[in-house]
Amino acid sequence: MSRVPLANPGDAFQATEDSDRRADRRIQRTRQQLREALLALILERGYETLRVEDITERANLGRATFYLHYRDKEALLLDSIRQTVDELLAQVSAFAPPHLEAGSEAAARWLQRAIALVFEHAAASATLYRVILRGEGTAAISRRIHAMICQAVLTYLEAHRPHQMPALPADVLANYFAGALLALLTWWLESGMPYGAEEMAAMFYHLFYEGIGHLTLPPSPTDG
């Protein structure tokens, strides 16, 4: 009497793992389609007038599929923003300030690189940043980004406050830095990013640390 070979438990486990990975990829792909549709429509029409039907039509998906993933359009927007903000938070947290002499050339280079990191991240997710910085959907997210930048500046100032800066309260300096950076970032994105991220970081650094009183404008193309 022949015996039926027993199935390998490892094969069943591997099949389940493969199935889960495929399902996860489908979920991520569907959510990405919905996010892209939402952001494109916000920039075209604004957030308030959008309906779920508009989003699913643009994404070429059904309403039932939308509600499998999100409660409403606000949940979709918040998920899109949260994911991007969390990515930036992780990058900023990993880019902790080293022990550098305040006001030194090395400290200046490090800080410009940290500022460039924000511009690079915004460039990589430009559509979403335009939505965030316009204040579409929820002002709470814009405030979260502002607070995040403030905290990073406060951390830096605690250890590396340059000697040439005036004796102003740290929270005033941090809020001024964050507000100016976000305003310049908004202009940069809305203008089609006319300068590179490193250039913007260097210009912002000089504006913040040296002010505009001593700066001169480059010659106009019409001068001559």
Side-chain angles (χ1 to χ4, degrees):
M1 178 177 170
S2 61
R3 304 181 66 180
V4 178
L6 295 175
N8 186 344
D11 292 342
F13 179 77
Q14 184 63 50
T16 301
E17 257 196 347
D18 291 344
S19 176
D20 289 344
R21 278 197 294 269
R22 285 194 297 270
D24 186 60
R25 284 196 295 269
R26 283 196 298 271
I27 290 169
Q28 295 306 317
R29 187 165 54 247
T30 299
R31 290 182 176 176
Q32 183 64 28
Q33 287 175 261
L34 291 169
R35 284 194 291 265
E36 290 174 356
L38 172 69
L39 298 177
L41 287 168
I42 288 175
L43 292 177
E44 289 174 17
R45 308 182 196 175
Y47 174 78
E48 297 301 332
T49 62
L50 290 184
R51 303 169 303 162
V52 169
E53 291 90 335
D54 299 322
I55 300 166
T56 54
E57 182 178 343
R58 176 64 65 93
N60 197 27
L61 296 167
R63 279 170 53 88
T65 300
F66 180 96
Y67 289 116
L68 282 174
H69 298 273
Y70 299 104
R71 181 184 67 256
D72 51 29
K73 67 176 186 179
E74 183 180 10
L76 170 58
L77 177 60
L78 289 174
D79 180 60
S80 304
I81 292 173
R82 189 178 298 111
Q83 178 178 323
T84 296
V85 172
D86 286 348
E87 287 173 1
L88 180 57
L89 277 169
Q91 290 184 28
V92 170
S93 298
F95 202 66
H99 292 291
L100 299 172
E101 182 183 350
S104 67
E105 185 177 338
R109 283 197 305 270
W110 179 88
L111 186 56
Q112 288 183 49
R113 182 70 203 109
I115 297 168
L117 188 68
V118 178
F119 282 95
E120 289 169 0
H121 194 267
S125 304
T127 303
L128 182 55
Y129 268 84
R130 288 189 184 102
V131 169
I132 295 171
L133 296 172
R134 284 182 181 185
E136 295 279 4
T138 175
I141 298 298
S142 295
R143 288 196 296 271
R144 183 180 177 191
I145 295 176
H146 186 282
M148 178 200 73
I149 295 173
C150 280
Q151 186 54 55
V153 173
L154 287 170
T155 300
Y156 177 81
L157 289 176
E158 285 175 5
H160 304 287
R161 183 167 179 147
H163 300 301
Q164 71 270 27
M165 291 190 71
L168 296 176
D171 56 346
V172 171
L173 286 172
N175 276 280
Y176 177 84
F177 183 100
L181 179 59
L182 290 176
L184 193 61
L185 187 63
T186 301
W187 169 83
W188 182 64
L189 290 171
E190 295 290 354
S191 301
M193 297 177 283
Y195 307 99
E198 296 283 352
E199 288 180 279
M200 291 300 298
M203 289 189 283
F204 181 82
Y205 176 88
H206 289 300
L207 284 168
F208 182 75
Y209 277 102
E210 300 166 10
I212 63 172
H214 73 290
L215 297 178
T216 58
L217 294 174
S220 169
T222 59
D223 293 344

